[in-house]
Amino acid sequence: MPRTNHLLVLLLVMLGLVLAGCGKQSGGLPTTYGKRSGNAGASVNGTKVLSEMFRSAGYWVKSYSVVSPSLLKNDVIVWVPESFEGPNYEFQQVILNWLAEKDGRTFIYIGRDFDASVQYWEEAIQKVPPEQKLDTMRQRSLAIQDFDELRNFIAEEEDYYFFKTERDAPRRVAKSLRGPWAKDIDASKTNIVLRTRILPATTDALYEGYDTLDSDEPPVYAVEDIDVLLSSRGEAIVTRMGSDYSDSQLILVTNGSFLLNLPLVNPEHRKLAAKLVNQCDRDSYSPETVAFLETGDYVDIRRADDTTDATSGWEWLSKWPLNLVGLQMAWWMIVLCFALYPIFGRPKQLPAAETSDFKKHIDSVGDLLEATDDHAYAQLRLQQYQQIMKGDAVYRRSKTRRGEGK
């Protein structure tokens, strides 16, 4: 199947989530956040569609759950954390060093402050029959309640070096769009929801306290240029922090309200996602690999490489009890194959069985006589044979009548 057709099928499936199944309990709606593989890839909060857009553009795409040397070999890293927290100090140093290590690299951060399940139930209210509308409204309220409970753990204000966050900004929808990415985008048809305000750092803030003579200082010069690619009423939605010298860049996206699976059903959102994919293709460099970093409450940074951090789709074989039962079954299947289908050397042609061997006839008659378990009868049959061969009269075995003795 061509890649473009494969992407179209994915989008139709996501559209079916909105048009069909409305009014079901929220327990049946997959809402896992920030995953692209396995069952979580079909979640309304998944990144399967975005990853397929990268794949359709010619990139090799993998998923990682930890920061390891194998992850840092990729040209593009898309970080979609499930946590509302940004990068800690250690991860900030890893990002800067990775960007400075090789030209043409791109690190994409997608903020967490969005839940597509709320959008799902909002759209479902307009499509369900009247008798299901009350239950759908209840599901929407539950989704909002669950998401607000998660947001309560966000710090009111936080500084993550590359950007600062303000939690208590009111919920708002971007009605107008500005910036290079706003070209050919109909803002009235988009549905970009903004919650936590992300304020990109300024150049002065990046270099504050920076000692150019200290060789141990992180390479801040990798993100010294700051450009707002998409904004609404002066608020940055997508920001590029990069260097014209190395052509490496860090892209900050406020949240996934136009990049997750369900929002990408919207054609205008797909245009914005395509601009994000194209932004990774630099003028002087052609990246080939994209890594989706899928983390939970914290970022696990490993100095030694871990060959199991990249998910291939066969991880379920390493989970209990399949890891125990599966290995035993595989071992027995191998033994069975060797037992049923062994061929050692060239096959030989066995000699054909002879049908004219009189000895076999004698053996068969002997077996039949032995099966009767009657010695007298066997002797009589032998005498009859001898009489026939000598030409004498044939004697028959007398039958014992009922009531008479033998």
Side-chain angles (χ1 to χ4, degrees):
M1 179 183 293
R3 288 178 175 175
T4 53
N5 293 341
H6 184 56
L7 179 59
L8 180 59
V9 170
L10 284 173
L11 292 172
L12 290 176
V13 170
M14 296 308 303
L15 182 60
L17 286 174
V18 179
L19 298 179
C22 299
K24 294 182 179 180
Q25 297 295 327
S26 59
L29 178 67
T31 59
T32 304
Y33 187 87
K35 301 292 190 297
R36 58 169 289 270
S37 58
N39 294 332
S43 167
V44 292
N45 288 317
T47 57
K48 180 67 174 180
V49 178
L50 179 61
S51 68
E52 289 302 318
M53 294 184 70
F54 274 102
R55 195 186 301 276
S56 298
Y59 293 94
W60 291 93
V61 182
K62 288 185 177 181
S63 295
Y64 294 79
S65 58
V66 300
V67 177
S68 65
S70 59
L71 166 73
L72 301 178
K73 293 177 182 178
N74 292 277
D75 302 317
V76 179
I77 297 178
V78 183
W79 184 31
V80 193
E82 188 177 2
S83 172
F84 288 83
E85 297 183 359
N88 56 23
Y89 177 78
E90 185 182 7
F91 194 24
Q92 295 166 14
Q93 310 310 304
V94 171
I95 295 172
L96 287 173
N97 289 319
W98 177 77
L99 291 173
E101 185 181 59
K102 183 180 178 180
D103 295 342
R105 286 179 165 177
T106 300
F107 187 94
I108 302 173
Y109 167 73
I110 302 176
R112 171 64 178 91
D113 201 4
F114 176 76
D115 186 3
S117 64
V118 177
Q119 177 185 339
Y120 172 87
W121 293 115
E122 287 177 347
E123 296 181 5
I125 292 175
Q126 309 300 323
K127 299 178 176 64
V128 297
E131 61 273 12
Q132 296 181 0
K133 183 161 295 188
L134 183 61
D135 180 67
T136 306
M137 294 174 65
R138 183 178 66 87
Q139 299 291 359
R140 173 183 174 274
S141 299
L142 291 174
I144 294 175
Q145 177 183 342
D146 293 341
F147 185 59
D148 286 342
E149 289 179 356
L150 292 176
R151 294 189 76 252
N152 290 334
F153 294 97
I154 309 175
E156 293 184 5
E157 294 183 357
E158 195 62 71
D159 187 352
Y160 296 107
Y161 182 69
F162 300 115
F163 60 90
K164 296 181 180 180
T165 60
E166 295 179 357
R167 183 195 66 181
D168 295 333
R171 183 182 184 276
R172 54 216 179 276
V173 179
K175 296 297 185 181
S176 61
L177 299 176
R178 297 289 185 271
W181 282 18
K183 184 179 179 181
D184 300 327
I185 302 296
D186 188 349
S188 64
K189 296 181 180 179
T190 62
N191 186 22
I192 301 177
V193 179
L194 304 175
R195 298 291 297 270
T196 297
R197 197 186 305 275
I198 291 185
L199 307 174
T202 63
T203 304
D204 294 339
L206 292 175
Y207 278 91
E208 183 178 359
Y210 182 76
D211 186 359
T212 57
L213 300 178
D214 188 354
S215 59
D216 294 331
E217 287 281 6
V220 181
Y221 54 83
V223 292
E224 59 185 355
D225 300 324
I226 301 174
D227 302 306
V228 177
L229 302 178
L230 186 68
S231 65
S232 176
R233 297 180 179 178
E235 179 180 354
I237 300 176
V238 181
T239 304
R240 177 187 180 273
M241 308 176 71
S243 171
D244 294 334
Y245 175 75
S246 66
D247 225 10
S248 293
Q249 58 185 349
L250 168 66
I251 297 178
L252 304 176
V253 183
T254 300
N255 58 44
S257 59
F258 61 95
L259 294 177
L260 299 179
N261 283 344
L262 181 60
L264 281 176
V265 173
N266 188 321
E268 301 302 313
H269 292 177
R270 292 201 297 276
K271 293 180 183 178
L272 291 173
K275 292 178 183 291
L276 176 64
V277 174
N278 295 334
Q279 183 69 32
C280 299
D281 190 7
R282 312 307 298 147
D283 296 335
S284 303
Y285 307 93
S286 298
E288 298 179 352
T289 58
V290 175
F292 276 74
L293 178 58
E294 304 167 352
T295 58
D297 295 335
Y298 67 97
V299 179
D300 185 5
I301 300 178
R302 301 181 183 178
R303 301 304 177 185
D305 202 355
D306 186 354
T307 56
T308 62
D309 60 350
T311 56
S312 60
W314 294 94
E315 291 75 16
W316 57 275
L317 289 174
S318 63
K319 305 297 183 181
W320 190 91
L322 292 178
N323 58 348
L324 180 63
V325 178
L327 289 177
Q328 292 185 358
M329 292 185 64
W331 187 85
W332 282 111
M333 289 298 296
I334 293 174
V335 173
L336 181 63
C337 290
F338 276 103
L340 294 180
Y341 307 103
I343 298 179
F344 303 103
R346 294 183 178 180
K348 294 183 178 180
Q349 185 69 32
L350 297 177
E354 297 182 4
T355 58
S356 60
D357 190 349
F358 188 72
K359 178 179 179 298
K360 294 182 178 181
H361 172 71
I362 295 175
D363 292 339
S364 299
V365 173
D367 292 338
L368 292 174
L369 291 176
E370 183 180 6
T372 62
D373 197 21
D374 188 342
H375 181 72
Y377 175 73
Q379 288 283 36
L380 179 60
R381 298 303 299 176
L382 182 58
Q383 292 177 6
Q384 290 178 352
Y385 171 74
Q386 292 174 349
Q387 292 292 337
I388 292 174
M389 295 302 296
K390 293 179 180 180
D392 297 338
V394 178
Y395 295 94
R396 297 183 179 276
R397 184 181 180 183
S398 61
K399 296 182 180 179
T400 303
R401 296 181 180 179
R402 293 183 179 179
E404 299 180 359
K406 293 184 179 179

